[in-house]
Amino acid sequence: MLSKRRTPGATAGRPYREMNRRMDLGSERAGMRRLRYGCAGLILACCCLVLLFAEFSFAASEPIQYLLDFREPASHLARVVMTVAGASPSTELQFPAWNNLYQIRDFARNIQELAADCDGAQEQLTRVDLNTWRSEAKPCAKLALRYAVYVAGSPPFSSALDSQHAFLNFATLLFYLPKERGRAAHVKLLIPAEWKVATLLEEEGDGFFAPNYDILADSPAEAGQFQDYSFSQNGATYRVVVHADVKDYSPDRLLASLRKITATETALMRDVPFSRYTFILHFPREDGGGGMEHRNGTAITVRAAQLRDHWETLEAVAAHEFFHLWNVKRIRPQSLEPIDYVHGNDTRDLWFCEGVTSAYGELALLRAGLISRKTFYARLGSAIATLQSRPARFFQSVEESGLEAWLEKYNDYLRPERSISYYNKGELLGFLLDLALRHASGNGAGLDDVMRRLNEDFGRPGRYYTDADLRRLIAQVAPRFSGLEAFFADYVRGTRELDYDTYLGYAGLERESESRGSARLGFDVSVNPGGEVRVESVELRRAAEQAGLAQGDILLKMNGQAWRDSPANLLSLLKPGQEMKLEVQRGGRVFEIEYRLEANEEATCRVKEIAHPSPEQIQVREGWLKGETTPAGGGKQ
Ligand SMILES: [Zn+2]
C-alpha cells in the first residue's frame, strides 16, 4: 500500500531541540550586528543580546496564528493567512495529504495563489515536494503565508463551504510546521455576519486555541445558522449542533437518543474524561453520510430521508462514534502515532479500533434499550452473513484488512473476492472474544473489563498500546482463557474460518444459515454498451472458478441461449444443483465451461437462543448482553 513511511518531526522532544537551535542562531546574528559599535558598546551589546535572546525565545514559542476568511462562501474559496513568529531560516511548511479517513486524499490539490512574506518583504518559497515548501535561508521575526483553499467537499470527512454553512476539517485547510507540530495555534475565523460558530476547541480572545496541530486537526468546526442544543449528564455538558431543516427531525427524540447512548457508554467505561463533548450533525436532503470520531466530539451525517425512515441509523452511528472517544482516541495504538499526515500510518490494529468499536456500538444500543434482543441477534446474523459472503476471507486476515485500509478508495479493491472489512470481522471478533473470556472465567470477566483496563493503563496516562500489550492485558483479565494466543494467531493474524458455533454456544445461542433455495452463480459480469458480457470477477473456491472460468472472459451463451441479461435477473430463474453450460470467449478462442450451480448457503444467517440452555450458558449470555459479570461468590457486578 504505502511507500516507505517517514517519521514526521513532531516526535516528543524534537520541536524543543529545533527551537533551541533557532534561538542560538538568532541571537548570534543579533550579537554580531551590535559588535560593530566597538568596545564602548560592549556592555550595552551584552544586555541587548540577553534581551534579544529572551525576545526570540518568546517569539518562537508564540502560537502560530491562522486567520481564515469565509466571507465569500458562494465562491467556495477560503482565504487563509498563517503567521509564524520567530521563524527559523529554511522553515519547512507542509500540507496534509490525509486526515479522518484512512485514505490519501491529496489536500494540496485545493491550494491556490500561495505567497509569503518575511517581515513585510516578499519571501521566495521553494517547493520541496508535493506537500512541502521551504522558506528562504534567513530567519524571520514574522513569516506570513497567504493562500486560498477551494472548499467544496462535504461533512463529516472533508470541509464544506457554501452559502448555507461551512464545515471545517482544519487539516484540509491549514499548513503545519513539520518540525514544530507540537507548537500551539490560535485560530480566528471571519464569517458572514449572520453566521455563528461551534468548534471543539477552547475559545481564546477573538478566536480559538489549540495546544498543537494534532488537536487542531482533530477538532472540526461548524459555521452557519445551525440549531444548538445541550444537555448535562454526570458533570459534563453535551452540545448538539445540527445543520438541517428542523422539519426533518424531532429535537426531543434526538436528545433522548443521545442521552441514552452517552449514559450507557460512560457507565460501561465508568469514565467521563471530558467536561464538554460536541455532536456536529448534518441531515442533508441530498446524498451523503458517515460518522467521524474526534477526541471531544463527533461529526455525523445522515440523509434526511434515511432519518425519517430509519432513525436507528443515526443511533447506531452515534453509539459507534461516541465509543471511539475511548477506543482509538484515548485507548490508542502505537501504530497510529506519531501521525504521518503525508504518507499515512501503517497499522494492523484497525480491527480492534474500528471493529471492536462497532461491537460496542451494537451492545450499547441493546443495553440502552434502543434496540431489542431480537434486533441485536438479527444484526449479528447479518454481520456473520456479510463476512461469509466474501471469498477474500480465505486469504486476507483482519489485521491485513486494516493495514490495507488505505486501498479502500479504489472500487476494485472493495470486491468481495479481494477484501474483507475490518469493521465487519473486527466486530465479530469483539463478540467472540467477549464470549470466550466470559466462558473461561464463568462470567467473572469479559471484554468490558479489558476495555476499562486499557483505559486505566493506557488511555488515562496517555500511553500508546501495542498488540503485545493488548494480549498481555487480556491474559491478566481472564487468566483461565487458555485459547488466547490461538485466537489471535487463527482469527486476527490468520484466516481460519470463525468457529461461530462453539463461541455462540458458550452463550446458549445457535445460528441457522438459510439458503432460501437461491442459486449461487459464482461470478459477476458487466455488460458494455455494445451488449458484450464480460466476467468482472470470479468467486474463489467456487464451482465456476474450479471449472475454469476467469476474469476477463466474454460470455457468449448460457445453456444454449445467447447471454444478454444481468446475473441478478438470471439468478431468479436458476436453481441450486442445476447444470450450467457457458460458452466462453477468451482471446481468439471459444470454448465451453460446465459446472453445477451451488446453493447460496450464506444468503442469510439467523442467530437464536437454544431451547434448553445450561445455567452456565445463561450466565454468559445475560452477562454479555447486559454488561454484567458474576464475582466468584455469586451475585452481579
Ligand atoms: Zn469508527
Side-chain angles (χ1 to χ4, degrees):
M1 49 181 282
L2 285 172
S3 57
K4 265 200 171 139
R5 188 157 58 88
R6 282 203 315 232
T7 312
T11 47
R14 179 102 167 260
Y16 183 64
R17 280 203 303 278
E18 289 296 332
M19 212 157 74
N20 283 347
R21 187 178 61 79
R22 191 178 51 253
M23 287 188 304
D24 292 340
L25 210 122
S27 53
E28 197 179 311
R29 282 169 184 239
M32 275 165 69
R33 277 201 300 274
R34 270 149 193 85
L35 281 174
R36 277 191 253 126
Y37 292 100
C39 290
L42 192 61
I43 292 169
L44 183 67
C46 285
C47 291
C48 287
L49 196 72
V50 171
L51 281 173
L52 271 158
F53 185 91
E55 196 181 311
F56 224 96
S57 157
F58 177 73
S61 61
E62 242 180 68
I64 294 168
Q65 306 283 332
Y66 295 103
L67 178 67
L68 295 97
D69 189 343
F70 299 103
R71 288 174 299 180
E72 288 180 24
S75 70
H76 294 299
L77 284 179
R79 305 255 162 213
V80 183
V81 182
M82 172 190 188
T83 309
V84 181
S88 57
S90 307
T91 292
E92 283 198 352
L93 301 139
Q94 209 160 51
F95 210 79
W98 74 283
N99 185 38
N100 292 347
L101 284 179
Y102 300 111
Q103 286 176 14
I104 298 296
R105 292 190 286 158
D106 292 317
F107 299 144
R109 75 184 193 276
N110 291 322
I111 306 171
Q112 59 191 67
E113 302 157 53
L114 180 65
D117 57 72
C118 167
D119 300 328
Q122 197 183 344
E123 172 86 355
Q124 202 62 42
L125 293 177
T126 305
R127 184 91 177 238
V128 179
D129 58 33
L130 184 61
N131 302 287
T132 317
W133 285 255
R134 188 187 296 133
S135 70
E136 292 175 29
K138 60 180 193 301
C140 274
K142 252 191 178 81
L143 176 67
L145 205 62
R146 299 167 206 281
Y147 57 99
V149 190
Y150 180 69
V151 185
S154 56
F157 306 117
S158 304
S159 291
L161 176 65
D162 56 41
S163 51
Q164 301 300 308
H165 78 131
F167 174 78
L168 310 176
N169 164 2
F170 287 112
T172 70
L173 301 166
L174 302 179
F175 279 84
Y176 58 88
L177 307 186
K179 290 171 182 163
E180 293 178 74
R181 238 171 61 198
R183 190 160 160 183
H186 184 269
V187 180
K188 186 176 173 184
L189 307 179
L190 301 175
I191 54 173
E194 62 281 13
W195 285 14
K196 51 189 177 174
V197 181
T199 88
L200 274 55
L201 298 170
E202 294 301 322
E203 284 186 32
E204 190 194 66
D206 56 357
F208 302 93
F209 175 80
N212 56 54
Y213 186 86
D214 288 359
I215 289 180
L216 181 57
D218 187 40
S219 304
E222 172 74 16
Q225 294 172 312
F226 46 80
Q227 296 105 49
D228 204 347
Y229 313 99
S230 70
F231 62 89
S232 301
Q233 195 179 66
N234 297 323
T237 301
Y238 293 85
R239 186 176 186 189
V240 185
V241 169
V242 187
H243 176 78
D245 189 323
V246 77
K247 291 196 288 291
D248 287 337
Y249 70 99
S250 151
D252 289 346
R253 189 175 186 189
L254 172 64
L255 295 183
S257 293
L258 295 180
R259 270 175 182 279
K260 284 185 186 171
I261 290 164
T262 54
T264 303
E265 295 189 7
T266 50
L268 189 163
M269 293 302 291
R270 299 176 191 160
D271 187 30
V272 186
F274 47 80
S275 57
R276 186 173 58 119
Y277 184 93
T278 305
F279 291 91
I280 299 180
L281 308 177
H282 293 88
F283 305 141
R285 296 269 175 95
E286 64 274 18
D287 273 357
M292 188 61 223
E293 69 274 11
H294 301 283
R295 187 176 172 86
N296 290 317
T298 178
I300 294 173
T301 301
V302 179
R303 280 186 305 117
Q306 176 83 3
L307 206 59
R308 188 185 59 233
D309 300 336
H310 299 283
W311 180 263
E312 66 275 11
T313 306
L314 172 65
E315 293 174 332
V317 181
H320 175 101
E321 303 307 337
F322 190 72
F323 196 74
H324 267 314
L325 81 87
W326 294 282
N327 198 21
V328 92
K329 284 302 172 190
R330 286 173 175 80
I331 301 171
R332 192 157 176 84
Q334 180 65 67
S335 54
L336 288 177
E337 291 288 338
I339 299 170
D340 186 333
Y341 288 105
V342 171
H343 306 93
N345 291 57
D346 287 335
T347 173
R348 290 176 168 79
D349 300 312
L350 293 188
W351 73 273
F352 195 85
C353 300
E354 289 298 344
V356 170
T357 295
S358 285
Y360 273 104
E362 291 296 292
L363 284 168
L365 294 177
L366 176 70
R367 292 174 188 174
L370 289 168
I371 60 171
S372 65
R373 216 171 255 213
K374 193 173 158 223
T375 302
F376 179 81
Y377 291 151
R379 292 200 198 176
L380 171 56
S382 126
I384 293 172
T386 298
L387 178 60
Q388 298 308 112
S389 71
R390 299 191 75 89
R393 73 183 187 281
F394 292 119
F395 64 84
Q396 190 189 41
S397 70
V398 74
E399 202 179 67
E400 207 177 5
S401 162
L403 189 69
E404 293 192 310
W406 302 89
L407 303 179
E408 287 178 340
K409 63 180 178 179
Y410 302 110
N411 279 335
D412 46 12
Y413 171 78
L414 297 174
R415 290 177 304 119
E417 295 75 24
R418 173 61 184 88
S419 60
I420 60 164
S421 157
Y422 47 89
Y423 286 85
N424 172 225
K425 188 172 177 184
E427 176 183 332
L428 292 170
L429 288 187
F431 291 144
L432 266 45
L433 184 58
D434 204 348
L435 293 172
L437 299 179
R438 288 176 189 274
H439 172 73
S441 63
N443 196 43
L447 195 59
D448 299 4
D449 300 284
V450 172
M451 298 312 300
R452 288 190 287 258
R453 274 289 304 277
L454 280 169
N455 195 33
E456 290 296 325
D457 292 7
F458 295 93
R460 284 181 202 266
R463 294 166 57 212
Y464 306 125
Y465 72 90
T466 63
D467 180 62
D469 291 325
L470 177 61
R471 280 178 286 125
R472 181 178 43 78
L473 199 140
I474 295 172
Q476 286 171 10
V477 167
R480 280 188 287 158
F481 176 39
S482 57
L484 176 63
E485 290 304 323
F487 187 94
F488 274 76
D490 292 343
Y491 296 157
V492 177
R493 295 190 295 275
T495 56
R496 193 180 178 134
E497 283 279 74
L498 301 190
D499 183 0
Y500 302 104
D501 297 334
T502 298
Y503 289 87
L504 292 176
Y506 294 152
L509 299 171
E510 62 184 359
R511 74 184 169 128
E512 282 179 343
S513 291
E514 291 177 348
S515 71
R516 290 185 300 190
S518 67
R520 189 182 197 102
L521 204 51
F523 60 90
D524 209 359
V525 298
S526 65
V527 184
N528 72 21
E532 189 178 72
V533 179
R534 183 178 185 275
V535 175
E536 288 298 333
S537 60
V538 183
E539 287 182 27
L540 284 180
R541 303 181 198 198
R542 292 285 175 185
E545 191 228 6
Q546 281 159 355
L549 192 69
Q551 187 195 1
D553 286 349
I554 306 298
L555 298 182
L556 303 175
K557 287 181 180 170
M558 183 192 74
N559 296 340
Q561 302 277 313
W563 186 298
R564 49 176 188 277
D565 213 337
S566 71
N569 293 340
L570 276 171
L571 268 177
S572 59
L573 305 172
L574 299 171
K575 293 274 175 287
Q578 187 179 330
E579 281 289 344
M580 285 285 275
K581 197 178 279 183
L582 300 175
E583 194 176 300
V584 173
Q585 184 187 321
R586 186 182 300 163
R589 213 157 58 88
V590 174
F591 55 97
E592 282 195 339
I593 285 175
E594 290 182 43
Y595 68 99
R596 199 176 286 277
L597 281 176
E598 292 170 286
N600 209 3
E601 287 153 20
E602 305 292 349
T604 62
C605 170
R606 261 164 32 97
V607 171
K608 58 175 197 162
E609 297 178 0
I610 61 172
H612 303 289
S614 69
E616 291 76 20
Q617 286 173 316
I618 292 174
Q619 199 175 47
V620 167
R621 183 169 75 211
E622 296 305 303
W624 179 47
L625 299 179
K626 294 177 183 166
E628 294 167 352
T629 48
T630 317
K636 283 174 183 169
Q637 205 173 45

